Amino acid sequence: EADIYQTPRYLVIGTGKKITLECSQTMGHDKMYWYQQDPGMELHLIHYSYGVNSTEKGDLSSESTVSRIRTEHFPLTLESARPSHTSQYLCASSDTTGIIDTQYFGPGTRLTVL
Amino acid sequence: AQKITQTQPGMFVQEKEAVTLDCTYDTSDQSYGLFWYKQPSSGEMIFLIYQGSYDEQNATEGRYSLNFQKARKSANLVISASQLGDSAMYFCAMKRRSGAGSYQLTFGKGTKLSVIP
């Protein structure tokens, strides 16, 4: 079981604000991911990273950006939040040294933009 | 393109009974993997069970088992002896290749399971 943390768990913010959602894992996993999930819907991959200084965009277009300066840390930033960004954001990590490459998830951040 | 279909938006089951959650998939890959995750109302995604396409036996993990029928492209989750704490959303996901040695997950829309006392 991976230890993966996300802060804040809940965030209510006004339009136009800059926000950073934090994600950290203590398992030394090389791969990390960000998913966006609207209530009652499936998860959509928005960003992923295969290691330090490696970031890629996922299937769902997102105005957010990510960085991977340290193995354990994968923050997501929105420069100017809008109501359309209201959603749950889930961070995950996986260990590619295993055959299965199971993704383990953090508790999520529920973002509401007013 | 890979696709996961979960046809049951919601399911009810009596406590202590068994329940099957359906998942069908579509892929042209010969090698793939299927995952089931549980998402309680608190929001986190909990890994339950995994089945590889070349695994000859159905995966089992405690009260969870996977009814894998490769020819029918189905990977149904069976939960035995349901408990109240099993009430949650359940997502089926397929591992797909995204590059040399790299994989990503495609998720289904999920099934909301409610366990009745």
Side-chain angles (χ1 to χ4, degrees), chain A residues 37 45 48 50 59 103 110, chain B residues 37 39 41 96 98 104 108:
Chain A
Q37 183 188 28
L45 181 69
Y48 60 97
Y50 290 153
D59 302 325
Q103 292 187 22
R110 294 194 183 188
Chain B
Y37 285 86
Q39 187 177 43
S41 58
R96 71 184 196 277
S98 62
Q104 294 179 19

Side-chain angles (χ1 to χ4, degrees), chain B residues 72-85:
Chain B
R72 298 180 61 183
K73 293 190 174 180
S74 73
N76 299 338
L77 177 70
V78 180
I79 305 174
S80 63
S82 297
Q83 302 172 357
L84 295 178

